[in-house]
Amino acid sequence: MFQTSPWQILQSKRTFYFIAAVGFLFKYWLVLGEEIEPFYRPADDLIYAQLAESWYWWAEYSAYSFLRPPIWPLVMAVVDYLGVPLRLFQELLLCGSSFVLINCFRKNGLNALTAGLCFVLIIHHPGWLLLANRTLRECFYVSLLLILVAQLVPFANRRLMTVRWHHLLPVGITSALLWYTREETINIAVILATFIFIFWLLRQELPRWSKVVRQLLWVSLGLLGPVIITGLTIRTANYARHGLFIPHEFAGVSFKRVFKQLMQIRPQDPKPWATVEQESLELAYEVSPTLSSIREALSDRVGPRWAAVSIGQTKDPNEI
């Protein structure tokens, strides 16, 4: 007679580890030997590869210098230095972050069999194959986002007054990496943390509001501290190299001013979903000496490539 019932076996963490290992090995076999080639088009694929080649700051200023936040180019540079294929690295990162998240849910009550099947379904989703087959930052971004959720979930079972600011330092570090990978994720981190705080407030008996507010401020220090320090470090490095105290070039005042002025030019037949029309550019060349000075460059090599991509997306030859 078996001392352990089949249901207990399915509930065991070993079952989860076994299913996860089988699913991972099959996924590894699918992608083994595949390589990534940056798409030579006016998108970020080649730009990120060029930024990584120069370690972001160790190159003369050009049209690609600090065009995007530095975290993902630096990660690509480290991966290349270590000799690890980028495709393999991204697949391992996606599988690892998915495993961390699902295992976190398993520890908090999710059935082991269900957890294992969820992990297998996630890593074999067709979207992963496309996501990990580009040099874009989205794969790294999604992986960090999964890790962030896994870091925040255990705090729902902690008592608010027992949490210290240094307990949230890993969450803050992940949030900093996310923010300077793609500048939209700090909002997600704040929203997730807010849900945890609301859960604390509704579930637990708390002391006076003055103590609660003081505790929340101290806890927030661990979340926001790494983001602020990372931002100052990146801005300082950009200032030392290029003389601009900004996180990346698109965040510069000059770019925002030019973009705002360009958007004020209204074509005769505007479309709300079009960012910039070719007609707007032609009008801008006539009224702006600065834009007219780069007209040849935009029309020589970059312009036709942007036009080709725009036609493929909008089916309108007048868009760019």
Side-chain angles (χ1 to χ4, degrees), residues 39-48 64 134 136 306 309:
F39 292 5
Y40 192 46
R41 54 185 295 187
D44 289 338
D45 304 64
L46 187 59
I47 292 176
Y48 281 120
Y64 303 107
R134 303 286 295 275
L136 297 178
W306 274 112
V309 174

Side-chain angles (χ1 to χ4, degrees), residues 181-232:
T181 298
R182 182 169 180 162
E183 291 183 327
E184 62 185 30
T185 320
I186 190 64
N187 299 323
I188 299 176
V190 171
I191 291 172
L192 292 174
T194 302
F195 276 118
I196 300 298
F197 293 155
I198 294 175
F199 188 78
W200 279 335
L201 296 176
L202 294 178
R203 185 180 178 184
Q204 303 173 5
E205 294 182 2
L206 299 174
R208 295 195 309 268
W209 275 103
S210 59
K211 291 186 177 181
V212 172
V213 173
R214 192 182 306 117
Q215 175 70 3
L216 291 178
L217 290 176
W218 274 111
V219 169
S220 300
L221 179 64
L223 175 64
L224 299 178
V227 178
I228 296 173
I229 294 174
T230 304
L232 291 175

